[in-house]
Amino acid sequence: MYINDLNLQNLVVAEPGESYQAQNLGNRYIEVLVDCPGATDTEAKLYVYRIAPNLEIRPGDILSVPFGAQQLGAIAIRILAEPPSNIPSENIKDVEDIIQKDFFRDSYWSLLELVSKYYYTSLIQVIRVALPPGLLGRSQHRIRLKRESIPNGAEEFLRLSAARQILEILQSQPDGDYSYRFLKRQVKSKAQFYIGKKQLIDRGWAETYVELPKYSRPQTKLVVTLVSDGLHVALNKRQREILKVLRDCDGELWLNEFLQICKTTTSTLRGLEQKGCVVIEEREVLRAEQSPTLTQDQAKTLNAAQANALATINSINGFAQVLLHGITGSGKTEVYLQAIAPLLHQGKSALVLVPEIGLTPQLTDRFRARFGNKVAVYHSALSEGERYDTWRQMLTGEPQVVIGTRSAIFAPLPKLGLIILDEEHDSSFKQDSPIPTYHARTVAQWRAELENCPLVLGSATPSLESWVSVSGSRGAGGPGGRGAKEEYLTPHSQLPTYYLSLPERINSRPLPPVEVVDMRLELQQGNRSIFSRSLQEALGQLQEKKQQGILFIHRRGYSTFVSCRNCGYVLECPHCDVSLAYHHTEEGAPQLLRCHYCNYGRSHPQFCPDCSSPYLKFFGSGTQRVTQELAKQFPQLRFIRFDSDTTRNKGAHRTLLTQFANGEADLLVGTQMLTKGLDLPQVTLVGVVAADGLLHLSDYRASERAFQTLTQVAGRAGRGDDPGRVIVQTYTPEHQVIEAVRTHDYQSFCQAELEQRQDLDYPPYGRLILLRLSSLDPIQVQNTAQIIATHLGSNAGFEILGPAPASVMRVANRYRWQILLKFSPDELPQLPNWEEIRDLCCDRVSLTIDVDPVNIL
Ligand code: ADP
Ligand code: ZN
Ligand code: ZN
């Protein structure tokens, strides 16, 4: 049945107007894509199966097929009129069953193909991201009795011992249901088993079915439904009472609830069923994330800027990209809610992507308060059963709002009317690993275009990419220029873009003033605490004023920059304009500083090259260290730690945030996840313990990210009636990022930053592809990196930076190297043949191609 290894990049999946649209019933074979467990990343294989006459299969269906000794998930790709000539037709097996009909519609399939091409990933790997886990997994072949069709004394008809044996085994089991595997073991001969099974099925006494993988089994519960009032049947008093209860409950109750309410038994009910008064049947219950009951919330009266934004979004017909640039607390979410409401009435659905799960409880609550049970949440922290059910709920086509993280961009909503990316600048929309290394914003642009619906990108601090993409439309409100990668989809069309601004906070509340504290002065004036005197004073006042605060700490692995505590000097690479990183290879190794772009290295100097002070230190202080310090200096202060350690358990985000919102603590101490979308009116103080950890990461995006993070953190203060206050501690108060955060000046920051990017051809002006290599063998990975770089060097059209070791060189015992390719988006580079490059890697070196990398560390 196996044809050949196909390069799926070149695979025509369905010719428009051909196999998707019309199925010629004369065709009896189908090519399917099998998710074989052993297949490597690059070899996705197509297999041919026969279609049994009773199955109506179309390309895009998800199937279950026999594969070796197993049943596996597969996707129907193309119907064939003839079996392939190189395979004897008796070797072709039958498709077992259809798991999900019509899953891959044209536009959805095109989207997956685009992702596969653009991110150099095989189609099956893209499909794995798009489907809920387990759907393509192993399924089980089972056989069950059709008791109602078996006549009395059936065993007597069966002369053949195997059929009789199978029947008896099945009858001995209350459900009359066993797996093939089990039955086969009971019947000694395999051939006899198949003959016996066939006999039972031919007589209609049993049927076979495929049980889906464990998690993709729908959950069912028994429900009792009233079908007759029982007036024309002889019933006793008790039975009439029971029917009355059912009638009072609108004629329908879950069986378990019914038994409780009526204090009756299943057999009593079965009696009523036999008399034709009720029906007891299985009904599917959808597993969904539990959420507290919320009071219904009404649309708010919009202010002028919000009303203008809403009117523009509503007026868009078809595809367009909208940048909704609203400062923190300006009411972006209210605009989303009101843009979605009319769509639901038109029978369409909306997709809302958010960066991280940390902020979804609050955001989903707001959506649920507005749209009730039309809101579904889809993210990887759900249980597999919940994911599967939510996914199936989407396929129904019911108008709904799906809120999810990155991978929800693949949510299979058939009638999509709007896509929203909230906090679109956030780097968690990018997947670094595993492949495909997609950016949800890029995929969203393609999807919106394919579905012909608007895409709204919302942020207080838009990414430079999005800012540049609307540069033509700012002020004018008309269509602007096309960004770098859109040409990939439709080279000649104009990308219609809109720029919408919400420049004020709701109720004209002011943005909080930002006080920058120079930590060098604190040291000089004898304060050795990690808290400046300003911050100490503010923390001390919290309880007195019955207000709450947030303390933000930046923490990131081992990778830290080196700076002078006396003068603020930061060690940088002489060639690359990025700070050098302290290189943590292993315990006891000599202290080495390195550039991750060009591999320049130097030893750690003892004295500051600028002021000769000995206070040249690595930076980095974790939440733990800060909370220890807090407990020592402010023993009366109640705080909650909010970081990846304390929020690991399911529901922990919600619990901690609820505790904080209920005033059970004065201070929330945490990392990055604090910055995202928290809307807590009691918070008046925001403290940034050390901004420097953000400023000097060895990445060309460090400044942009630092500005975004600090602005977002600052934006948590003063969202209620009490005015807010922000204290930013730093050793480099003159840094342009700090200055821009202090003055809330996004525009000037952008301008300066964009000039630098343009000079160096970094995104959004140039494009990058990062090759990440890793291996258990440090020598082999370095050699391979060198070989690949040399090979690439012969290609024209792009610049090669590296190879260089990754900043954390060894992770989980693997040594990591990387090569950065930089090219101009205008002249299409002669990109290398990736199969060839993969071939340069020996077995022991693995390669990931990260397209448009966001984290180069
Ligand atoms: P953003 O998403 O831009 O940070 P939010 O949508 O969270 O802002 O709005 C901030 C707060 O203002 C929220 O509590 C929200 O309920 C409230 N709000 C938003 N729009 C309005 C409005 N038009 N009138 C009154 N309150 C509003
Ligand atoms: Zn360098
Ligand atoms: Zn110095």
Side-chain angles (χ1 to χ4, degrees):
M1 55 175 170
Y2 158 77
I3 312 177
N4 56 9
D5 289 13
L6 261 182
N7 178 359
L8 282 167
Q9 316 286 347
N10 303 326
L11 176 69
V12 179
V13 171
E15 301 286 357
E18 209 181 310
S19 37
Y20 262 99
Q21 266 67 25
Q23 184 199 354
N24 175 351
L25 285 171
N27 293 337
R28 299 287 312 284
Y29 298 90
I30 183 124
E31 270 179 358
V32 306
L33 193 55
V34 180
D35 192 15
C36 4
T40 63
D41 302 348
T42 45
E43 47 166 17
K45 287 176 185 159
L46 287 181
Y47 296 86
V48 173
Y49 286 85
R50 187 183 293 106
I51 305 175
N54 56 336
L55 280 185
E56 251 191 63
I57 294 176
R58 293 154 56 91
D61 291 349
I62 299 178
L63 310 174
S64 167
V65 297
F67 193 84
Q70 303 170 332
Q71 288 292 134
L72 289 180
I75 292 152
I77 301 285
R78 181 165 42 194
I79 292 189
L80 304 176
E82 307 276 332
S85 56
N86 59 341
I87 311 173
S89 69
E90 63 271 20
N91 286 0
I92 300 181
K93 294 186 188 173
D94 281 2
V95 171
E96 193 58 53
D97 210 345
I98 300 174
I99 297 181
Q100 181 71 54
K101 276 199 92 52
D102 288 333
F103 175 63
F104 294 97
R105 294 160 300 112
D106 283 354
S107 60
Y108 193 82
W109 196 248
S110 309
L111 182 76
L112 300 186
E113 281 203 297
L114 270 173
V115 174
S116 148
K117 275 187 205 153
Y118 187 82
Y119 291 104
Y120 300 102
T121 310
S122 71
L123 198 51
I124 191 74
Q125 257 157 327
V126 180
I127 289 169
R128 278 185 206 142
V129 179
L131 298 188
L135 191 78
L136 287 185
R138 220 161 290 183
S139 41
Q140 205 187 34
H141 219 149
R142 299 182 71 89
I143 183 165
R144 68 181 157 215
L145 288 182
K146 293 164 81 176
R147 283 223 160 88
E148 65 285 1
S149 324
I150 305 176
N152 283 336
E155 298 85 358
E156 305 307 317
F157 298 118
L158 298 171
R159 275 174 294 117
L160 211 120
S161 63
R164 184 168 175 159
Q165 195 186 351
I166 295 172
L167 184 69
E168 280 169 2
I169 296 171
L170 287 171
Q171 278 177 332
S172 71
Q173 214 260 0
D175 292 340
D177 185 328
Y178 272 115
S179 73
Y180 265 36
R181 239 180 118 149
F182 174 81
L183 286 172
K184 245 187 278 185
R185 254 182 290 141
Q186 311 304 311
V187 181
K188 289 276 145 16
S189 135
K190 211 171 155 182
Q192 287 295 310
F193 167 74
Y194 279 108
I195 296 169
K197 176 201 79 171
K198 189 167 182 302
Q199 276 220 334
L200 292 179
I201 290 165
D202 288 350
R203 286 170 191 264
W205 296 354
E207 61 188 351
T208 62
Y209 69 103
V210 172
E211 186 178 66
L212 300 182
K214 189 154 150 255
Y215 293 109
S216 42
R217 217 178 303 153
Q219 200 175 60
T220 58
K221 240 168 114 173
L222 289 174
V223 69
V224 187
T225 314
L226 186 71
V227 287
S228 141
D229 51 15
L231 290 179
H232 309 290
V233 237
L235 295 177
N236 62 32
K237 188 165 164 251
R238 180 77 185 121
Q239 287 171 321
R240 293 206 184 278
E241 277 171 15
I242 291 173
L243 285 187
K244 181 171 183 311
V245 172
L246 195 54
R247 210 165 26 237
D248 292 345
C249 297
D250 294 330
E252 200 166 275
L253 269 175
W254 293 116
L255 177 66
N256 59 347
E257 287 174 14
F258 194 28
L259 296 181
Q260 262 180 11
I261 294 173
C262 295
K263 308 240 169 5
T264 182
T265 60
T266 318
S267 60
T268 313
L269 274 180
R270 290 283 177 205
L272 280 170
E273 191 181 25
Q274 269 160 17
K275 294 195 166 164
C277 299
V278 301
V279 170
I280 304 172
E281 61 190 351
E282 290 208 341
R283 171 115 21 114
E284 185 174 350
V285 273
L286 289 175
R287 288 156 287 205
E289 201 183 44
Q290 296 301 311
S291 69
T293 26
L294 298 156
T295 39
Q296 178 73 26
D297 164 50
Q298 298 297 320
K300 297 188 168 60
T301 312
L302 301 182
N303 65 27
Q306 285 176 312
N308 173 51
L310 179 67
T312 309
I313 296 170
N314 283 344
S315 73
I316 297 171
N317 197 2
F319 169 60
Q321 178 172 311
V322 178
L323 178 59
L324 181 61
H325 183 191
I327 63 168
T328 54
S330 60
K332 293 182 289 294
T333 314
E334 186 63 32
V335 174
Y336 305 153
L337 290 165
Q338 296 198 25
I340 290 170
L343 290 176
L344 296 175
H345 289 295
Q346 295 162 28
K348 293 183 187 167
S349 293
L351 185 54
V352 181
L353 298 191
V354 295
E356 249 165 62
I357 241 45
L359 86 145
T360 38
Q362 233 200 354
L363 192 88
T364 43
D365 287 355
R366 281 173 79 178
F367 276 77
R368 284 204 171 113
R370 193 67 59 89
F371 302 123
N373 60 7
K374 289 204 172 72
V375 177
V377 180
Y378 193 71
H379 53 76
S380 53
L382 294 180
S383 76
E384 295 198 349
E386 288 169 342
R387 267 175 98 170
Y388 173 68
D389 284 354
T390 311
W391 180 82
R392 283 170 21 107
Q393 167 60 32
M394 294 185 234
L395 285 174
T396 61
E398 287 288 310
Q400 56 194 296
V401 185
V402 172
I403 303 177
T405 46
R406 179 169 76 213
S407 67
I409 190 56
F410 296 107
L413 289 165
K415 287 174 239 156
L416 197 52
L418 178 65
I419 305 177
I420 295 169
L421 253 82
D422 189 31
E423 314 288 356
E424 64 86 27
H425 62 275
D426 199 286
S427 58
S428 47
F429 284 123
K430 175 69 163 57
Q431 174 150 310
D432 293 335
S433 73
I435 56 171
T437 56
Y438 67 99
H439 198 304
R441 186 178 56 223
T442 306
V443 181
Q445 283 162 346
W446 296 331
R447 183 147 192 205
E449 186 166 357
L450 286 164
E451 310 263 4
N452 200 29
C453 73
L455 166 66
V456 174
L457 305 176
S459 176
T461 51
S463 64
L464 294 182
E465 278 84 358
S466 300
W467 180 252
V468 166
S469 78
V470 296
S471 56
S473 53
R474 270 197 299 280
R482 289 184 67 82
K485 40 191 169 276
E486 287 79 19
E487 69 201 18
Y488 190 78
L489 196 55
T490 46
H492 305 295
S493 76
Q494 277 277 313
L495 171 71
T497 56
Y498 295 85
Y499 175 76
L500 299 171
S501 164
L502 306 178
E504 267 200 14
R505 279 190 161 181
I506 292 298
N507 298 334
S508 305
R509 283 183 189 124
L511 280 172
V514 177
E515 178 190 344
V516 176
V517 180
D518 186 342
M519 292 304 277
R520 296 169 302 190
L521 287 177
E522 294 288 316
L523 187 69
Q524 278 166 29
Q525 293 167 5
N527 176 18
R528 292 182 174 273
S529 159
I530 53 172
F531 306 122
S532 61
R533 288 159 298 176
S534 254
L535 188 54
Q536 288 180 21
E537 177 218 301
L539 287 171
Q541 287 174 354
L542 274 183
Q543 280 187 324
E544 200 179 302
K545 294 189 179 168
K546 296 202 166 52
Q547 292 175 339
Q548 288 182 306
I550 286 178
L551 213 50
F552 172 75
I553 292 134
H554 173 77
R555 185 186 56 175
R556 195 170 192 144
Y558 287 117
S559 166
T560 45
F561 70 102
V562 178
S563 91
C564 171
R565 291 206 166 201
N566 187 51
C567 75
Y569 181 88
V570 174
L571 285 168
E572 291 193 340
C573 171
H575 310 300
C576 294
D577 248 3
V578 291
S579 48
L580 292 176
Y582 166 56
H583 218 66
H584 184 94
T585 40
E586 48 209 322
E587 293 309 316
Q591 297 183 339
L592 206 64
L593 304 176
R594 253 193 207 292
C595 167
H596 300 138
Y597 284 51
C598 71
N599 202 21
Y600 166 86
R602 63 166 295 173
S603 64
H604 186 278
Q606 258 190 312
F607 300 100
C608 170
D610 213 37
C611 75
S612 307
S613 101
Y615 300 113
L616 204 58
K617 291 271 160 61
F618 310 132
F619 257 86
S621 52
T623 33
Q624 236 170 339
R625 156 115 201 272
V626 171
T627 47
Q628 275 167 9
E629 201 63 33
L630 267 178
K632 213 164 69 190
Q633 284 195 43
F634 301 93
Q636 79 292 356
L637 213 60
R638 301 165 305 159
F639 58 81
I640 293 176
R641 230 179 97 193
F642 193 72
D643 58 23
S644 49
D645 292 336
T646 60
T647 54
R648 206 165 287 153
N649 294 335
K650 200 177 169 185
H653 289 106
R654 182 186 282 282
T655 312
L656 293 179
L657 289 178
T658 308
Q659 283 175 359
F660 186 63
N662 291 344
E664 289 169 37
D666 310 301
L667 198 62
L668 198 58
V669 184
T671 48
Q672 221 73 340
M673 54 176 85
L674 277 183
T675 61
K676 300 176 181 175
L678 289 183
D679 183 32
L680 299 166
Q682 320 84 301
V683 172
T684 54
L685 172 69
V686 165
V688 176
V689 178
D692 306 71
L694 276 163
L695 297 176
H696 309 295
L697 288 171
S698 49
D699 187 322
Y700 75 94
R701 280 181 196 265
S703 289
E704 181 184 352
R705 203 170 295 153
F707 175 77
Q708 287 161 345
T709 306
L710 292 173
T711 305
Q712 296 286 351
V713 182
R716 301 310 114 204
R719 296 167 76 92
D721 293 332
D722 293 337
R725 173 182 185 191
V726 180
I727 298 171
V728 177
Q729 305 191 147
T730 174
Y731 288 89
T732 44
E734 66 283 356
H735 196 287
Q736 55 148 337
V737 167
I738 300 290
E739 186 55 20
V741 171
R742 192 177 67 78
T743 53
H744 301 287
D745 192 350
Y746 172 83
Q747 219 144 328
S748 317
F749 169 76
C750 261
Q751 207 168 345
E753 184 66 18
L754 282 171
E755 276 166 25
Q756 283 183 23
R757 298 273 184 96
Q758 198 153 24
D759 285 348
L760 295 164
D761 281 334
Y762 279 126
Y765 299 104
R767 275 195 57 202
L768 300 174
I769 291 182
L770 183 69
L771 308 186
R772 302 178 200 274
L773 295 118
S774 75
S775 171
L776 289 170
D777 183 336
I779 307 295
Q780 211 156 32
V781 67
Q782 183 175 355
N783 288 345
T784 307
Q786 195 54 61
I787 291 167
I788 291 179
T790 312
H791 179 84
L792 289 173
S794 56
N795 269 288
F798 53 87
E799 194 182 330
I800 298 175
L801 299 167
S807 71
V808 184
M809 193 177 177
R810 195 171 63 153
V811 173
N813 287 327
R814 292 187 78 86
Y815 291 85
R816 313 186 311 156
W817 280 69
Q818 53 196 33
I819 304 167
L820 191 62
L821 312 183
K822 192 161 84 173
F823 48 92
S824 146
D826 308 327
E827 25 186 309
L828 278 180
Q830 271 188 294
L831 283 177
N833 176 344
W834 297 101
E835 295 304 318
E836 212 174 291
I837 292 179
R838 285 212 166 90
D839 286 348
L840 293 174
C841 286
C842 55
D843 292 347
R844 305 178 54 202
V845 177
S846 74
L847 167 69
T848 304
I849 298 169
D850 188 352
V851 179
D852 304 331
V854 161
N855 289 307
I856 303 202
L857 292 173

